[in-house]
Amino acid sequence: MSKQQQYHGSGWKNLVMAAVSQKPSTDFLTGDWKTFMPVADFEKCVTCLTCVMLCPEGAARLDSNTGKVYFDLNFCKGCGICAAECPTKAIVMQIPEKDKAEE
Amino acid sequence: MTTTQNEQSNRKNSSLKLELSKPAMPKVEPYKQTAKDIALKPDLFLSGHRACAGCGPATVLRLVTKALRGPTIVTQATGCMEIVCSIYPYTSWGLPWLHTAFENVAANASGIEAAVKALGKKGKIKQEHIDVIAIAGDGGTYDIGLQALSGAIERGHDFLFILYDNEGYMNTGIQRSGGTPMGASTTTTPAGKVLPGKMEKKKPLTEIILAHDIEYVATATPYYWKDMMSKVQKGLEVEGSAFLHIFAPCPRGWRTDPSRSMSYSKLSVETCVFPIWEAVNGKRVLSIPSKMYALAPQKKKPVIDYLEGQGRFRHLFKPENKHVIDQIQQATDNHWQKLLKQCETTIR
């Protein structure tokens, strides 16, 4: 292999046309960023879906089988928008129990 | 159910394969969709992007992808939302997506639209119509991308330009942009003994775009998500350029609590700092959330409610800077009165 080939690999003709991202970001869990996690009180919840619409992460979701809102804690960053905007104050931000145990 | 069980069941739902293989929702006409229909639609701006907690623009993009009507190509200028969704090797887009430099997102969108047209004529693509969306932040629109945008809408390309306005170059370290409001402290206009933050007014960008005489121009904010999504749908339906200015609070750059970013989105309308309206063929109509304050002016809140709690305006509450708040109130009132006159025929 000549020195030039060593530096430039197999040549520019074989390069991809642009940088292509291969993996979906759902493989990258951002749930460990959070300090507080949302906990919903389903007695107060009226399924207005405000939290589902306003969540920046798409972590608040509607379960099509049960018709209830749930939080995907793998992605929730704990910003608390859902708790702040909930019209019935059904969502409370809490410190996760495993974090409490560590303390 | 304990937390661990809950987490396990959630993890099952979180893989992309599940999300993409979900059967498409039964086709409901866009205007007849209920909130439940929208909530059950899979996100095409996927979870796992690396925006800060409480990011306003991330909410905007999620809702925009839920309002699409068919095959769409997205092109995005450099900016916060481009960075967070495309950290190699991950991508947050469930749509064909193309990154471009800061200044030429509108030029890129015109190229895509022209290419789609040419391929359609040659019969090389199956789709009858492909929507093109260009997304840029306020830096990529107000300052750097303005000439490309002006050129593209002058040529009348069929695309929707979405500007998410977080009022500064937040990604590179909170520098001032043409969209930064008066009185805001940024790293290039720091508040101190000499100056109380940025002294210039916000550039009237939507007026500049409106002067191009295009079919659809609108402003929106994510707190009123139904209004925003219907504006996206209208913008896509227009045959020609459409422009959507979306006000998106940034908790990092505005130095606010992450949980309050949506309440600032709401307050911006309540205080008339950012009134929301749409202009079809140049005729302006106030949208319902803003129209309420035109019909009942006594309900309008003072600007101080909006400025409070934002770290970038903290210095204005010192006694020597009180006059700046009055100036902001005066400028906001003038802007609002001017807008009311322009919408006069459509109120009541």
Side-chain angles (χ1 to χ4, degrees), chain B residues 59-85:
Chain B
T59 306
V60 170
L61 291 198
R62 265 192 65 234
L63 294 175
V64 164
T65 58
K66 284 193 182 222
L68 304 179
R69 59 171 181 171
T72 310
I73 298 174
V74 177
T75 176
Q76 211 173 1
T78 308
C80 278
M81 284 299 103
E82 182 269 322
I83 301 293
V84 299
C85 71

Side-chain angles (χ1 to χ4, degrees), chain B residues 13-34:
Chain B
N13 290 322
S14 70
S15 78
L16 173 81
K17 275 174 195 163
L18 270 177
E19 251 173 84
L20 289 183
S21 63
K22 261 183 206 167
M25 282 297 298
K27 277 218 165 178
V28 190
E29 278 183 44
Y31 298 108
K32 288 179 187 166
Q33 275 178 350
T34 58

Side-chain angles (χ1 to χ4, degrees), chain A residues 23 25 52 55-57 71 77, chain B residues 10 47 49 51 62 89 91-92:
Chain A
K23 287 182 184 173
S25 64
V52 179
C55 177
E57 311 305 322
F71 298 100
K77 288 172 190 163
Chain B
N10 287 342
S47 306
H49 59 75
R62 265 192 65 234
T91 175
S92 296

